[in-house]
Amino acid sequence: MALIAMMNYLFCVAGGLVLLTASVYASSSPLQTVGPPLPPRRLVIGVDGGTESIRACIFDAIDGSVVGKSCAVPYKTYHPKPGYAEQDPDDWWNNLSQAVKGAIDSIGITNEEEGEDLKSRVCAICIDTTCCSVVALDKENVPLRPSLLWMDARSAPQTEEILKTCKGDPALKVNCNGKGPLSAEWMTPKSLWIKQNEPEIWEKAKTICEYQDYINYKLTGNMVASACNAAARWHWNGDECIKEADEKNKFPGRPISLYKKLKIPELAEKLPAKCASMGDVIGTLTKEAAQHLGLNEGVPVAQGGPDAFVGMVGLGCIYPQQLCLITGSSHLHCVVTSKPQTAKGTWGAYRGAPIAGTNFAEGGQSSTGSIIRWAKMLFGAEDLDYKTLDDEAASIAPGSDGLIALETFQGSRTPVTDPLARGALVGLTL
């Protein structure tokens, strides 16, 4: 779903390029349809950096049809302590190369000429990722430690500290008008945890960013935050943060008063200075990135966003009173509102998300999908596909013969936000 959603924006990015470059010529490439000579088939690449793997797929830039097959390359999640979840940013970057090259190979290129033809047709690429997977980078933009994955709940004490210390701060309106809850998944508590528990990392960190920002930096050389990520997990105003800074407002849309109250005013400087809305062009592939992916230098890179909230766009859920369900490693119910209002037991509503000029609120749980992967590993069924599991589950009567799974293995999101909640299987028998 996230890959499909990106297409809506990639079409906008690619559309002008199609008109500019659509010279007519015949080709024997597998990308050329049979019949009279046609304009070259322009292509876009969508990439979904999820919890379990990174996936790439190639699409026709005009009609959205899939070209070849998608390619997924898994990476590991590490749990050094209960409630902790980490990934290696190098795995994201290295596996991205494998995923994109795998999607290209699936088309069936048979010679170098066809390969060059394919590369010339790619007119845009867009990445979505998990949110909020936090990365600390040194002055050379090299990771200083493993990423604190979105589901990492170690900053639970910091969420309480923030609500207490910053009571009444306008940035906390997205947390039920400051009454809470505030999730340990979010950027501010994770940043505060690093400052308090790994001060040497904090001092060395020139940049604090997300998976999304890090990968886009590796692709383009530009450090640009996602307005959707920032609105939904950073306490930023998504409509304001995309504006240019000036002498009167050095940090538009940023919660400066919140950072000052927490005695981390430097966080405003460490987070990316630039911010772009979903679909905006943030740069082009550098020579190094192009070689890494097997593409041509200069391909435009469009801003993506959080995987789940890109899915909202794919479902067309961008108008007030629309509600959608997004499932994956976690699940979310997302509702679009006419105003950035809030309600007890929900997160948001966020301004300027999922796209500029919209607002949405959410509810859901953190590990509904992850525990299925956990069960597959536990029972030695890692090669069993999810469709087979769905079919087997469908044969069991509602109620599962009294077996109940409490899925809060990695804490609870809503309506009770509790990062210390734990899961259980109740009703086991011999």
Side-chain angles (χ1 to χ4, degrees):
M1 179 56 70
L3 287 172
I4 294 171
M6 270 189 287
M7 298 311 304
N8 294 333
Y9 281 97
L10 283 168
F11 293 154
C12 298
V13 175
L17 296 171
V18 172
L19 294 176
L20 290 172
T21 60
S23 58
V24 178
Y25 69 93
S27 170
S28 59
S29 164
L31 300 170
Q32 177 70 50
T33 56
V34 176
L38 295 172
R41 190 179 188 185
R42 308 305 292 170
L43 305 172
V44 289
I45 299 177
V47 178
D48 174 31
T51 303
E52 298 183 23
S53 66
I54 191 164
R55 301 168 283 275
C57 192
I58 301 173
F59 300 86
D60 186 293
I62 301 301
D63 63 21
S65 60
V66 174
V67 179
K69 296 180 180 180
S70 64
C71 178
V73 183
Y75 34 58
K76 291 184 178 180
T77 298
Y78 303 92
H79 300 276
K81 295 181 180 179
Y84 284 34
E86 298 180 344
Q87 288 181 346
D88 185 345
D90 287 340
D91 288 346
W92 301 336
W93 180 238
N94 293 331
N95 292 15
L96 170 62
S97 171
Q98 296 178 54
V100 171
K101 290 178 179 178
I104 293 172
D105 290 344
S106 75
I107 295 176
I109 301 298
T110 59
N111 56 57
E112 184 177 347
E113 182 180 357
E114 288 182 356
E116 291 302 315
D117 179 45
L118 169 64
K119 290 195 292 184
S120 71
R121 295 171 183 241
V122 176
C123 55
I125 185 171
C126 184
I127 319 290
D128 76 53
T129 67
T130 58
C131 170
C132 170
S133 295
V134 176
V135 187
L137 305 175
D138 67 12
K139 61 182 180 180
E140 303 297 330
N141 285 321
V142 175
L144 290 163
R145 67 171 328 281
S147 166
L148 274 63
L149 193 60
W150 65 270
M151 65 170 66
D152 190 288
R154 73 184 70 185
S155 62
Q158 284 71 31
T159 65
E160 297 298 324
E161 179 180 347
I162 292 169
L163 290 173
K164 181 179 179 181
T165 303
C166 304
K167 186 177 181 179
D169 192 279
L172 296 181
K173 287 184 178 180
V174 296
N175 305 113
C176 291
N177 286 321
K179 297 178 182 179
L182 167 60
S183 172
E185 295 179 18
W186 290 26
M187 173 62 80
T188 306
K190 283 178 174 172
S191 298
L192 188 59
W193 184 93
I194 296 174
K195 169 72 180 286
Q196 294 175 346
N197 293 273
E198 297 180 347
E200 70 288 352
I201 297 293
W202 182 260
E203 290 301 320
K204 292 179 181 179
K206 181 179 183 295
T207 301
I208 302 290
C209 65
E210 285 204 39
Y211 184 170
Q212 179 81 32
D213 317 322
Y214 176 70
I215 291 296
N216 280 338
Y217 166 77
K218 296 283 284 185
L219 293 174
T220 67
N222 300 325
M223 182 60 69
V224 184
S226 159
C228 184
N229 294 51
R233 294 292 183 267
W234 298 13
H235 287 103
W236 288 18
N237 182 320
D239 283 328
E240 293 294 321
C241 68
I242 58 178
K243 296 180 179 179
E244 290 290 333
D246 54 35
E247 293 182 1
K248 294 182 179 180
N249 190 358
K250 188 178 180 182
F251 301 105
R254 279 70 161 174
I256 302 303
S257 62
L258 188 77
Y259 299 157
K260 289 181 177 179
K261 291 172 185 175
L262 294 171
K263 299 181 180 180
I264 51 171
E266 65 271 28
L267 181 57
E269 297 280 0
K270 291 179 182 291
L271 292 168
K274 294 183 178 180
C275 195
S277 294
M278 201 184 297
D280 289 346
V281 177
I282 59 172
T284 60
L285 289 184
T286 65
K287 180 179 179 180
E288 294 77 11
Q291 292 175 344
H292 187 68
L293 301 183
L295 298 173
N296 287 339
E297 181 181 356
V299 173
V301 178
Q303 180 64 285
D307 47 7
F309 307 144
V310 168
M312 290 180 65
V313 180
L315 290 168
C317 186
I318 56 174
Y319 300 104
Q321 299 185 18
Q322 288 185 320
L323 172 71
C324 66
L325 169 65
I326 307 292
T327 64
S329 295
S330 65
H331 84 246
L332 306 94
H333 294 90
C334 302
V335 59
V336 183
T337 63
S338 57
K339 297 183 294 183
Q341 57 202 52
T342 189
K344 184 178 180 180
T346 62
W347 295 359
Y350 314 118
R351 289 179 180 268
I355 57 177
T358 63
N359 313 282
F360 84 94
E362 61 171 312
Q365 289 300 327
S366 296
S367 51
T368 44
S370 296
I371 61 171
I372 299 176
R373 174 173 56 89
W374 167 82
K376 287 173 62 178
M377 294 174 61
L378 183 66
F379 295 111
E382 295 181 63
D383 294 333
L384 198 63
D385 64 85
Y386 290 105
K387 177 62 168 60
T388 300
L389 291 176
D390 286 343
D391 292 341
E392 292 183 356
S395 66
I396 301 173
S400 302
D401 298 325
L403 178 61
I404 299 172
L406 182 62
E407 61 75 48
T408 51
F409 281 44
Q410 196 69 19
S412 174
R413 270 184 177 162
T414 63
V416 177
T417 300
D418 182 1
L420 301 180
R422 295 294 177 259
L425 293 173
V426 182
L428 293 172
T429 63
L430 292 177

